[in-house]
Amino acid sequence: MRACPSLSLNSQLIHTPDSLCSIIAALQHFQGHLMPTHKSYESAEKALKSSAEKFTPAAAQEAFQPIMDNLKAWGDLVQEQAQASQAALAQTFEVLKDIKEPQAAFNAMGAFAESLTAMFSKNIMDAVALSVAQFKGTVASLENSFPASEAFAGIANGFKEAASKMESSMETAVNDGAAAVKKLRAA
């Protein structure tokens, strides 16, 4: 046993077998000379320093504008849908408060359920349309900023076509569901 200079505990050299000391020395040699060192902090710092002049308030606002536009579009859609739901509910309460007969109340509730189904279908389709439009816009933006945009064009078109097919499939499913509900009500 000997004191291995590379191992210490509270500034005291640790006595290890010679073979362990040799292994530790070899690992330190490989780490320092043959293995690449990970310098993520240094590379991040270098990237930030080299592009610091590009980070202006105007550039930041421009970069975040598409995100803000997307959020605003979702906020507008939610507000529109909430107002439509409130109006339908208020209208139903107005109709129900003057009804005296059970059959008329049943018919009013059936009409309300049908209008809710139509509203639900419209809300889903509006949300899908907005999602697909934003997705296609993001793909187009990525395509335009891609270094070799002509190489990415085929992939971008595939993404856009897939989104359109998903939108069409969703519309068919919603319409089929609404038709089934209408058919049940008629039966």
Side-chain angles (χ1 to χ4, degrees), residues 151-168:
F152 187 70
I155 296 169
N157 288 336
F159 283 150
K160 291 174 187 176
E161 286 176 26
S164 293
K165 286 179 183 177
M166 186 275 307
E167 183 177 22
S168 176

Side-chain angles (χ1 to χ4, degrees), residues 51-66:
S51 57
E53 64 273 357
K54 296 177 188 173
F55 292 123
T56 64
Q61 186 173 357
E62 182 181 340
F64 280 105
Q65 192 60 47

Side-chain angles (χ1 to χ4, degrees), residues 13-180:
L13 290 179
I14 297 175
H15 292 280
T16 61
D18 290 340
S19 59
L20 183 58
C21 195
S22 299
I23 292 171
I24 291 169
L27 287 173
Q28 288 173 339
H29 173 77
F30 282 121
Q31 182 184 15
H33 298 290
L34 299 178
M35 297 175 121
T37 55
H38 184 63
K39 298 183 179 186
S40 60
Y41 294 114
E42 290 87 2
S43 62
E45 180 183 19
K46 182 179 177 183
L48 286 173
K49 283 182 179 177
S50 68
S51 57
E53 64 273 357
K54 296 177 188 173
F55 292 123
T56 64
Q61 186 173 357
E62 182 181 340
F64 280 105
Q65 192 60 47
I67 295 169
M68 298 308 293
D69 291 344
N70 287 348
L71 289 175
K72 182 181 180 324
W74 279 104
D76 292 347
L77 179 63
V78 167
Q79 184 176 11
E80 174 190 316
Q81 290 178 351
Q83 289 170 346
S85 297
Q86 289 171 345
L89 194 57
Q91 180 184 8
T92 301
F93 282 136
E94 281 299 313
V95 168
L96 286 175
K97 81 177 181 182
D98 295 332
I99 293 178
K100 307 269 188 262
E101 300 172 18
Q103 184 60 43
F106 182 75
N107 290 342
M109 291 304 291
F112 177 64
E114 194 172 313
S115 72
L116 278 182
T117 302
M119 187 184 329
F120 179 73
S121 299
K122 179 188 178 308
N123 290 352
I124 287 176
M125 291 314 305
D126 288 349
V128 169
L130 180 58
S131 297
V132 168
Q134 289 180 350
F135 177 78
K136 287 179 177 181
T138 301
V139 170
S141 177
L142 181 62
E143 183 179 11
N144 292 338
S145 65
F146 202 72
S149 59
E150 64 280 348
F152 187 70
I155 296 169
N157 288 336
F159 283 150
K160 291 174 187 176
E161 286 176 26
S164 293
K165 286 179 183 177
M166 186 275 307
E167 183 177 22
S168 176
S169 296
M170 188 67 166
E171 183 177 2
T172 299
V174 167
N175 290 340
D176 289 351

